[in-house]
Amino acid sequence: MTAKEREDEGEATAAGEETGGRVELLVSALLAGLGALVILDAATMGTAATAAGPIGPQAVPYGVGGGLVVCALVHAIDVLHGGRGEAEGGEDIDLTARLDWRAVMLVIAFFLANAVLIEPLGWAISGALLFWGIAYALGSRTWLRDAVVSVVMSVGSFYAFAYGLGITLPPGVLEGVL
């Protein structure tokens, strides 16, 4: 470990000790609040006793809400006994780099274009444009490969939704072909 790494680790530890675990306890409180909200929502869920079966539709929300509350309690106990999250480290990113606004704007533009084009063109075409555009915005310059992968992904997801989930995505101009 270099001197710089030891210095960075010491700064991160000191910063964590300064907060006294308040931020970590806030995470526990948010988890507990979310769990309580899920349990409350499950309790107010209207059910038809004849259609519900032996377990009913409330079992899963009760389980998820209870699990969130248990995780919040375990996390809070760990924080109160000195447990702290590790400082950012080992990531292969430059935290001092500036945001690439061009990439962000291109991603937003391709998402908006997809929202506008999904009904008239259909998912297969608008999805392929979306996938290709995101790859382009994030720096890929192998356009032909990206186009082939995008078409395979959009048509594949069209059929996965249709046959796997029973959800029909808009076929658009390819109605009758897909």
Side-chain angles (χ1 to χ4, degrees):
M1 181 181 278
T2 66
K4 174 68 174 148
E5 289 173 338
R6 281 193 297 274
E7 181 181 314
D8 290 344
E9 186 177 318
E11 288 174 9
T13 305
E17 290 171 357
E18 286 176 12
T19 63
R22 289 188 304 262
V23 174
E24 289 91 348
L25 288 174
L26 178 64
V27 170
S28 295
L30 289 173
L31 272 176
L34 183 61
L37 181 66
V38 170
I39 291 170
L40 177 67
D41 192 40
T44 60
M45 183 185 298
T47 62
T50 58
I55 296 177
Q58 295 158 321
V60 172
Y62 278 136
V64 170
L68 285 169
V69 170
V70 168
C71 285
L73 290 172
V74 169
H75 184 256
I77 291 168
D78 179 51
V79 169
L80 292 173
H81 285 126
R84 299 286 183 272
E86 290 186 26
E88 189 84 28
E91 296 272 340
D92 196 20
I93 58 172
D94 181 12
L95 296 176
T96 62
R98 296 179 122 319
L99 183 61
D100 184 3
W101 283 104
R102 178 183 177 272
V104 171
M105 290 301 144
L106 280 172
V107 167
I108 291 171
F110 280 108
F111 270 108
L112 292 175
N114 183 57
V116 170
L117 297 175
I118 194 166
E119 284 298 325
L121 295 181
W123 169 251
I125 296 173
S126 71
L129 288 172
L130 174 68
F131 296 148
W132 181 87
I134 299 298
Y136 176 79
L138 296 179
S140 178
R141 296 298 178 257
T142 53
W143 297 350
L144 182 60
R145 182 195 65 195
D146 295 343
V148 170
V149 169
S150 296
V151 168
V152 169
M153 292 284 294
S154 64
V155 172
S157 61
F158 180 86
Y159 284 116
F161 271 81
Y163 293 116
L165 299 173
I167 299 171
T168 305
L169 296 174
V173 296
L174 296 177
E175 188 169 5
V177 176
L178 292 176

